[in-house]
Amino acid sequence: MMEGNKKQDLSPDDRAQLQLERLQSTLNRAYRNVLFHQNRQNKIAQKTGRDTSVFESLDMISDFPFMQRTHLGEHYPYGLFAVPLRDIVRIHTAPGTGQNPSVTGYTRQDLKIWQEMVAQAFEAAEVTSNDILQISLDPGLANWGRDYKDGAESLGLGVIPNTPISPEKQLMILRDYKTSVLVTTPSEASQLAAQMIKSQLNPGVLNLRHLILVGEPVLKQFRDQIEEKLHVTTWLHYGLSEVPGPAIAYECKYHKGLHINEDHFLPEIIDPESGNILPKGEKGELVLTSLTIRAFPLIRFRTGEGASFITEPCPCGRTLTRMNWLDFRTDDILNINGVKVHQDQILYCLKSQLGFTPLYRILIKKQGGQKNYLEISLLMENNLFSDEIKILENQIKLLKDNLHENLGVPVQIKLKENFSI
């Protein structure tokens, strides 16, 4: 028996027609309301002699230039919004690639669409109204926590919202509240497993059935290990932490790649060097164009994520394109507990706090409980820190707090007398 709703099972021709209509509407709205998109479309018209208000096929999207993360900061705060501010009901901020953060807006319709997308992904993971959902995400993914809460509540689940608490408290809630579905990152899942071993808690006493992993791609070996340690079934969801949100792609019960929600996003896989669209099945960079988002349209947004399309049909019967989410990136983004951190943002924070550009080295490390953190080693220089211990400790603390606040990830600062840059 085929799974999924009517739109998930559209024929390729019907889906292409739906996407074309929605893409045309998105491009026209972007042209009318966003100077950035208007200028780019005018350049296309001058170059090709073609009216971009008339879109005859999806293939014509290749005429458009790519959107990059740098564009989000350059048009801070509202330069890429396609609706008046009075229509915006939620504003989300994420670390950018330099001085300015990226700012995303949502209309009521946008939030409703995201609620439906998350609910659809839950249903594919066999989550029902009888389940109790617990959300445990880093502060940098707090927006996803709200989206997962809204999607779950629309299905009638009991929800324990995202709250930053210690691993011990998370485990206590997981046990005492009889949580059956946990949304978290692979890093936090590892931390949870380590805490269970430390507490000598048998996973058999938990009600946990489903572990939905977000923010980072995972290898099969990791999934096998975490499923054995926690006695759960894992499900992988893909989303963007800087813009829109979670569950853009999700797994069904066959776990043969992630179904991309093509009713709302047009996906491409490109060669990261040339920008050319690659044939289906080849590995490259995932590019996404939004089809239904009103407040903040994305047109050929380069995600920096490694991916490849899966050509054969899925046994579940869904006709949505599937992708393999691959463990490599094509940009300078660091993925720390699912939160994307650009290396230029780290440099900007260091320069703004210290008043000059220091010599530094960055590493992603794991704490004892298996949670990732950003370690920044600074070369000791005469103009860097005071010789007095208390002043030095205060300077380190201020720098650490500033980086944590701006990047949204755990940070440790180390001072080094010498190292290789």
Side-chain angles (χ1 to χ4, degrees):
M1 186 175 187
M2 288 177 63
E3 301 174 355
N5 61 31
K6 185 176 179 181
K7 284 186 179 179
Q8 290 174 303
D9 302 333
L10 289 174
S11 70
D13 289 343
D14 288 342
R15 170 158 290 113
Q17 182 60 38
L18 175 68
Q19 289 178 316
L20 184 61
E21 293 170 1
R22 290 180 169 179
L23 177 60
Q24 186 68 78
S25 177
T26 294
L27 293 174
N28 289 341
R29 183 170 61 255
Y31 183 85
R32 290 194 308 269
N33 300 306
V34 184
L35 183 61
F36 170 78
H37 292 300
Q38 185 180 108
N39 290 337
R40 285 152 72 90
Q41 290 192 42
N42 284 339
K43 289 179 181 178
I44 294 170
Q46 294 171 2
K47 181 179 179 180
T48 65
R50 180 172 57 79
D51 183 358
T52 56
S53 66
V54 180
F55 227 69
E56 299 173 353
S57 72
L58 294 173
D59 294 338
M60 295 170 69
I61 192 67
S62 61
D63 289 340
F64 284 69
F66 297 110
M67 281 185 73
Q68 314 243 19
R69 281 183 174 82
T70 53
H71 294 139
L72 309 184
E74 289 169 0
H75 296 273
Y76 170 88
Y78 303 135
L80 296 178
F81 283 19
V83 298
L85 280 179
R86 64 175 178 272
D87 294 337
I88 299 294
V89 297
R90 182 188 294 176
I91 296 174
H92 170 61
T93 303
T97 58
Q99 178 176 356
N100 295 326
S102 61
V103 179
T104 307
Y106 302 79
T107 66
R108 291 191 185 278
Q109 180 179 331
D110 293 336
L111 293 181
K112 177 66 175 176
I113 288 172
W114 229 271
Q115 181 186 86
E116 293 172 354
M117 288 175 59
V118 172
Q120 181 177 309
F122 275 138
E123 290 175 331
E126 302 180 334
V127 174
T128 72
S129 59
N130 295 322
D131 284 302
I132 295 177
L133 172 72
Q134 183 172 334
I135 304 169
S136 179
L137 299 171
D138 269 42
L141 293 174
N143 199 51
W144 285 16
R146 288 188 290 268
D147 289 325
Y148 274 112
K149 179 185 78 71
D150 293 345
E153 289 176 346
S154 73
L155 293 176
L157 278 75
V159 179
I160 304 166
N162 188 45
T163 305
I165 55 178
S166 68
E168 294 85 358
K169 287 291 182 66
Q170 286 285 8
L171 184 56
M172 182 189 75
I173 292 173
L174 195 71
R175 179 194 62 205
D176 296 348
Y177 293 23
K178 300 187 184 303
T179 299
S180 56
V181 183
L182 175 64
V183 174
T184 192
T185 62
S187 301
E188 291 215 13
S190 294
Q191 188 179 36
L192 175 64
Q195 183 61 39
M196 288 182 66
I197 293 172
K198 180 181 178 181
S199 304
Q200 297 183 335
L201 181 65
N202 189 322
V205 305
L206 302 178
N207 282 48
L208 191 62
R209 299 187 303 117
H210 299 302
L211 184 65
I212 296 176
L213 300 174
V214 306
E216 308 166 67
V218 295
L219 300 176
K220 184 180 185 302
Q221 181 182 5
F222 173 86
R223 296 184 73 162
D224 291 344
Q225 290 175 349
I226 208 72
E227 288 182 351
E228 182 179 353
K229 289 178 180 178
L230 299 180
H231 297 183
V232 295
T233 301
T234 57
W235 309 78
L236 193 58
H237 286 185
Y238 171 79
L240 292 172
S241 57
E242 304 86 352
V243 289
I248 292 174
Y250 56 86
E251 285 186 319
C252 69
K253 69 179 183 180
Y254 292 97
H255 303 279
K256 295 181 179 292
L258 285 75
H259 294 270
I260 303 172
N261 203 316
E262 292 183 283
D263 300 329
H264 301 289
F265 287 90
L266 179 67
E268 304 170 75
I269 301 291
I270 65 164
D271 180 322
E273 298 296 329
S274 67
N276 294 331
I277 297 175
L278 294 174
K280 284 194 174 183
E282 292 194 18
K283 298 177 181 180
E285 179 182 353
L286 178 66
V287 171
L288 292 172
T289 296
S290 63
L291 300 176
T292 55
I293 296 171
R294 297 188 62 81
F296 199 87
L298 300 174
I299 300 174
R300 303 200 81 197
F301 180 76
R302 293 188 64 158
T303 68
E305 307 276 6
S308 63
F309 289 146
I310 300 171
T311 55
E312 63 269 16
C314 184
C316 77
R318 291 177 176 85
T319 57
L320 298 169
T321 293
R322 285 175 299 141
M323 73 173 189
N324 291 311
W325 186 9
L326 305 175
D327 190 23
F328 71 86
R329 296 195 62 85
T330 62
D331 55 20
D332 293 329
I333 294 287
L334 304 175
N335 191 329
I336 305 171
N337 306 322
V339 180
K340 309 297 193 304
V341 177
H342 198 283
Q343 296 184 48
D344 287 349
Q345 179 71 358
I346 298 172
L347 176 59
Y348 172 76
C349 290
L350 291 173
K351 288 173 62 177
S352 62
Q353 185 73 19
L354 298 174
F356 66 97
T357 303
L359 294 175
Y360 68 99
R361 181 177 64 192
I362 54 179
L363 294 171
I364 298 176
K365 288 194 171 183
K366 286 184 180 292
Q367 294 171 339
Q370 302 300 306
K371 189 172 182 180
N372 293 334
Y373 68 95
L374 181 66
E375 180 183 279
I376 302 177
S377 297
L378 297 173
L379 186 65
M380 288 294 291
E381 299 179 79
N382 292 334
N383 62 337
L384 186 53
F385 295 107
S386 169
D387 290 333
E388 294 186 31
I389 297 298
K390 287 187 177 180
I391 295 177
L392 178 62
E393 290 176 346
N394 186 56
Q395 288 175 312
I396 293 293
K397 184 181 183 303
L398 288 174
L399 180 59
K400 176 182 172 181
D401 291 347
N402 178 268
L403 285 161
H404 179 75
E405 179 182 357
N406 283 279
L407 303 178
V409 299
V411 176
Q412 293 292 337
I413 304 292
K414 287 193 172 184
L415 303 181
K416 299 285 186 179
E417 293 186 1
N418 57 74
F419 57 72
S420 299
I421 303 298

